[in-house]
């Protein structure tokens, strides 16, 4: 009877709701008729819109207090356009900090605000925290909670809150804080009164599992937001939704969520100023662009906790952002060399063949990889039968300077039967694995009773990946897991003396979760898989675009269940920290690498989160051998430089599919200028290492020799990135922020401020249309000055050439190339001196031994500045001075003391010198290039080279 009474009460309640709705709906129709779409619509049910769900009709839309427009092309069902006046929150009270470091508002949910997905919080706090004149933070969180309770367990380098001065870069405007008045706020740039962001468009929602906010933006020049596939570096603002949720998803077509999570964007304002905004949240997020222009964020947990960086220069924004999340690691010098890998090597002998044909073709190579095929049935920390001689090969090649990097996946085989497998045994003893939330949610442990979804290993969550048994997933939020992982890395290094580590599948990936069986499950076994129970975390009210696009429509598609328990004290649900899995694995891997090798090394990781760059680089995932992906690799590289991970590159010539000879040749030319330069493809495809085709070998040799010559410049760019947070690869607009044309360029890019790379990105193209910003530019190959700039140009670009241009005003240190960096670092230096219109140039060089840990903090390095100036008398140059000044001079040996500055090319020299003080010169009157050689200047003490005209 009691149950019947409860149901009866529910029925009466539903009847009342229906009756009320019947009265209210006509009022809503009269009050809020569909208006013209001005690019500011906030969709009430965006996933239903994307899927063209027939349930999304006028009645359903209006029953939720939304407006329906059957003629809407992009958004049919949307929130009232008057924003917070009828949806969102209103003021209750305001608190100001006595020292001016923060403002806090108590907000109350408006009574007429519909609940889109349930669980809305009635009382919310809004807090603005000031960090001086160029940075601030604003946060929304449930009343009674705190900012800290909602933020990811990722350490940030936050300065002490400081009240802004009267001349700060920003002004915060909060709507009139009259009790009961509608709430919205805006941030403006003080110098221009331009909005940075404004919440006037409405949509603010704070609920248990659904949070939403919309910003009006100052410009359509929006960059960042990842990790996604983007067709252009500057975003398409026409209602494009970008899902952010780490997933085992290769790059493809459309706005797909890939391996990492980076809720950071930059906007270039109309006057050339830039700002950045970072949402500090590790839950699944959907970000939608609005043509207005604007952005709508939707997330399923955590807080709306934003940091705003005011720049104003584009590089300033990246420096400010990385100052908070952490600067990039300093890569080992050898890791800037060319690298080769493939999935599908049959044994050590095949790897040897690749290395030998590369060397015989005269192509530089510093690193050779082994993918999972080097393991015994894909089990970490093992060697397969045809790779038992791999350690001997690695030691043999190390003598000549070749380094070796193996792959490690996080998933550990729990059922390995053909050998004793200590990694799993030790992990169980350490309690290193992710476990189920509780017994109620864990499927049956008895496989005889539930053979299709049993979970037989205590409370450990099991899935299936590459190994031939059920796999467990280490919980890298536990200290015990760190200790276990590092010990396994050290033991493996004792067997196989690797130099770096490549970590993959760390979203984490689990194959075909919630389906009958994984695609690679042994056919002779009874079907089995990880089946996540239906629950509020795997099946939230707002499932996100990532889940909506998946086969199972669940967050756990292709990964583990959201009800996994993680943390030192089981304090985290996987639901909240899924996007941090790769991040959490990266630091112990980096520390384990350095502990095992005693050297700096390098870690490459697939899944990333803000601050991953402190410990690792990234590659852009399993791309495809097609021209579109060649172009996309530039976009991805530019984005990850914004994200603070400048050690970035794509699989050269493509991972999936067979590359054509022409595509691979063009890709090797471009890939020679990725910071992380690696040729890599998959099993079952034709080999594509560069020596396979004679034409590709020739073009690769040319492009890579230039790369190796420029490695001192590239290494110095990484020094600046490591110490100041600047980008290594950067878009043109970073150097030309007021150039509107430069803001849309993503087929060209810069190394630092001084080297412009303009590759061919389309088939059968030898006449390249490109853009040259207004400045002084010289052809790298000839030294000749470009006649025009600030306009579109066309360059003859035969198949074996990539266009390179040096910017006037800069000096690029170089070193004579060799087959690897062990050899090239023994060669003398040269330099390019590219004069600007004032006939000056400057540059610098960072140099250490290339592999010792923490040389910068221990002062074991050289830092050198170069300059060139001319003395002008009566408008005529009578003398030019090329100067080197050693700014930091270490007493430790790093090889520089044995090297000389042997030669220099001066581009843009208007007339030939009559003499120089030491050395020989020649001068080309056609190109206006002076070649100074036999200089024999030391690299560890100051000197001048004087040119007399």
């Amino acid at each position: 009877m009691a149950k019947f009474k409860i149901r009866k009460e529910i029925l009466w309640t539903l009847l009342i709701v229906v009756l009320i709705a019947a009265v209210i709906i006509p009022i809503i129709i009269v009050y809020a008729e569909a208006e013209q779409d001005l690019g500011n619509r906030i969709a009430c049910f965006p996933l239903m819109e994307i899927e063209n769900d027939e349930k999304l009709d006028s009645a359903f839309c209006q029953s939720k207090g939304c407006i329906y427009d059957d003629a809407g092309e992009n958004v049919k069902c949307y929130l009232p356009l008057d924003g917070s006046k009828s949806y969102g929150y209103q003021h209750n009270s305001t608190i100001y900090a006595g020292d001016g470091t923060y403002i806090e508002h108590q907000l109350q949910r408006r009574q007429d605000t519909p609940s889109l997905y349930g669980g809305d919080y009635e009382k919310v706090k809004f807090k603005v925290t000031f960090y001086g004149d160029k940075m601030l933070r604003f946060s929304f969180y449930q009343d009674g909670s705190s900012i800290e309770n909602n933020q990811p367990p990722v350490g940030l380098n936050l300065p002490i809150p400081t009240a802004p001065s009267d001349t700060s870069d920003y002004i915060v405007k909060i709507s009139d804080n009259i009790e009961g008045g509608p709430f919205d706020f805006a941030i403006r740039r003080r110098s221009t009164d331009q909005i940075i962001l404004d919440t006037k468009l409405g949509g603010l929602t704070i609920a248990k599992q659904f949070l939403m906010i919309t910003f009006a933006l100052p410009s359509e020049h929006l960059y960042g937001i990842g990790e996604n596939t983007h067709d252009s570096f500057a975003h398409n603002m026409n209602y494009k939704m970008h899902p952010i949720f780490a997933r085992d998803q290769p790059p493809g077509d459309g706005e797909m969520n890939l391996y990492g999570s980076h809720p950071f964007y930059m906007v270039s304002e109309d006057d050339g100023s830039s700002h950045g905004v970072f949402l500090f949240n590790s839950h699944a997020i959907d970000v939608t662009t609005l043509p207005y222009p604007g952005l709508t964020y939707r997330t399923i947990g955590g807080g709306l906790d934003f940091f705003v960086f005011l720049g104003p220069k584009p590089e300033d924004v990246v420096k400010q952002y990385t100052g908070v999340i952490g600067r990039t690691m300093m890569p080992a010098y050898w890791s800037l060399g060319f690298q080769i890998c493939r999935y599908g090597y049959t044994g050590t002998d095949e790897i040897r063949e690749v290395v030998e044909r590369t060397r015989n073709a005269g192509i530089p190579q510093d690193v050779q990889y082994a993918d999972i095929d080097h393991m015994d049935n894909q089990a970490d920390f093992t060697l397969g039968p045809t790779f038992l001689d791999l350690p001997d090969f690695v030691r043999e090649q190390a003598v000549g300077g070749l380094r070796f990097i193996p792959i490690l996946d996080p998933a550990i085989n729990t059922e390995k039967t053909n050998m004793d497998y200590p990694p799993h045994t030790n992990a169980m003893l350490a309690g290193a694995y992710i476990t189920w939330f509780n017994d109620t949610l864990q499927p049956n442990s008895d496989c005889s009773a539930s053979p299709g979804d049993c979970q037989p290993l205590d409370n450990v969550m099991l899935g299936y990946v590459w190994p031939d048994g059920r796999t467990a997933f280490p919980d890298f939020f536990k200290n015990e897991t760190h200790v276990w992982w590092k010990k396994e890395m050290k033991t493996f290094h004792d067997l196989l003396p690797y130099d770096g580590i490549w970590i993959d599948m760390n979203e984490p990936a689990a194959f075909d979760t919630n389906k009958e069986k994984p695609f690679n499950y042994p056919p002779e076994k009874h079907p089995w898989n990880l089946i996540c129970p239906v629950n509020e975390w795997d099946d939230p009210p707002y499932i996100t675009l990532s889940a909506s696009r998946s086969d199972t429509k669940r967050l756990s598609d292709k990964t583990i269940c959201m009800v996994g328990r993680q943390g030192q004290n089981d304090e985290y649900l996987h639901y909240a920290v899924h996007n941090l899995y790769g991040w959490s694995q990266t630091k112990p891997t980096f520390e384990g690498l350095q502990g095992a090798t005693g050297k700096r090394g390098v870690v490459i990781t697939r899944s990333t989160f803000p601050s991953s760059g402190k410990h690792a680089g990234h590659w852009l995932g399993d791309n495809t051998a097609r021209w579109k992906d060649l172009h996309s690799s530039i976009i991805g590289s530019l984005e990850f430089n914004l994200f603070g991970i400048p050690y970035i590159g794509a699989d050269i010539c493509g991972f999936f599919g067979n590359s054509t000879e022409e595509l691979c040749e063009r890709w090797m030319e471009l890939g020679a200028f990725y910071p992380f330069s690696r040729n890599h493809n998959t099993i079952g495809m034709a080999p594509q290492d560069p020596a396979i085709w004679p034409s590709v070998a020739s073009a690769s040799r040319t492009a890579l020799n230039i790369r190796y010559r420029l490695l001192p410049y590239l290494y110095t760019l990484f020094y600046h990135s490591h110490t100041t947070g600047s980008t290594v690869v950067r878009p043109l607009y970073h150097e030309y922020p007021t150039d509107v044309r430069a803001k849309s360029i993503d087929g060209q890019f810069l190394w630092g401020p001084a080297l412009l790379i303009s590759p061919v990105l389309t088939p059968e193209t030898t006449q390249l249309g490109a853009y040259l910003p207004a400045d002084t530019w010289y052809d790298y190959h000839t030294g000749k000055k470009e006649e025009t700039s600030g306009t579109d140009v066309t360059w003859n670009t035969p198949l074996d050439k990539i266009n390179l241009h040096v910017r006037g005003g800069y000096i690029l240190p170089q070193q004579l190339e060799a087959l690897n960096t062990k050899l090239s670092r023994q060669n003398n230096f040269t330099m390019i001196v590219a004069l600007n219109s004032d006939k000056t140039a400057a540059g610098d060089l960072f140099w250490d031994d290339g592999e010792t840990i923490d040389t910068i903090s221990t002062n074991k390095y050289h830092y050198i500045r170069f300059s060139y100036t001319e003395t002008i008398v009566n408008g005529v140059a009578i003398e030019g001075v090329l100067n080197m000044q050693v700014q930091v001079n270490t007493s430790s040996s790093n090889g520089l003391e044995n090297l000389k500055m042997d030669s220099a090319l001066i581009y843009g020299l208007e007339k030939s010198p009559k003499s120089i003080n030491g050395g020989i010169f020649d001068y080309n009157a056609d190109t206006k290039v002076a070649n100074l050689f036999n200089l024999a200047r030391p690299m560890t003490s100051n000197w001048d080279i004087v040119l007399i005209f």
Side-chain angles (χ1 to χ4, degrees), residues 341-345 369-380 382-384 387 405-409 465-467 502 504-505 511 520 680 683:
C341 178
R342 81 163 297 173
Y343 172 32
Y345 288 135
Y369 283 73
D371 208 315
I372 57 173
D373 29 54
H374 82 275
M375 304 174 182
D376 184 86
N377 291 320
Q378 292 80 46
D380 278 355
T382 65
L383 295 176
F387 289 90
I405 296 179
I407 194 172
L408 288 175
D409 290 344
V465 199
W466 290 120
W502 168 27
D504 191 13
M505 309 294 289
F511 292 154
N520 60 335
H680 181 214
I683 193 169

Side-chain angles (χ1 to χ4, degrees), residues 787-808:
E787 295 180 359
T788 61
S789 68
T791 185
D792 291 334
V793 294
T794 300
W795 292 314
N796 182 41
T797 313
L799 194 54
D800 60 353
K801 179 184 178 182
I802 185 169
N803 297 288
L804 304 172
H805 288 83
V806 183
R807 183 181 177 188

Side-chain angles (χ1 to χ4, degrees), residues 58 72 361 636 678:
S58 176
R678 183 182 70 165

Side-chain angles (χ1 to χ4, degrees), residues 681-695:
N681 73 328
T682 191
I683 193 169
M685 299 297 111
Q688 64 181 33
D689 50 279
I692 288 292
W693 295 285
S695 65

Side-chain angles (χ1 to χ4, degrees), residues 84-158:
S84 59
K85 293 181 182 178
S86 61
Y87 185 96
Y89 289 82
Q90 63 190 29
H91 291 278
N92 258 6
S93 62
T94 304
I95 299 172
Y96 293 91
D99 60 0
T101 58
Y102 72 86
I103 305 170
E104 186 176 286
H105 288 254
Q106 177 84 43
L107 308 179
Q108 175 74 42
R109 186 166 173 261
R110 296 184 66 80
Q111 292 182 358
D112 54 354
T113 293
S115 180
L116 297 178
Y117 297 95
D120 298 77
Y121 294 130
E122 294 299 318
K123 292 185 177 181
V124 167
K125 286 193 175 175
F126 168 68
K127 185 175 182 179
V128 182
T129 305
F130 304 107
Y131 297 97
D133 288 355
K134 294 183 179 294
M135 172 180 156
L136 68 156
R137 176 185 195 177
F138 64 91
S139 312
F140 296 88
Y141 52 95
Q142 181 189 8
D143 188 29
S145 183
S146 67
I147 296 173
E148 290 72 25
N149 286 347
N150 292 297
Q151 68 186 28
V154 175
L156 300 180
N157 305 317
L158 293 179

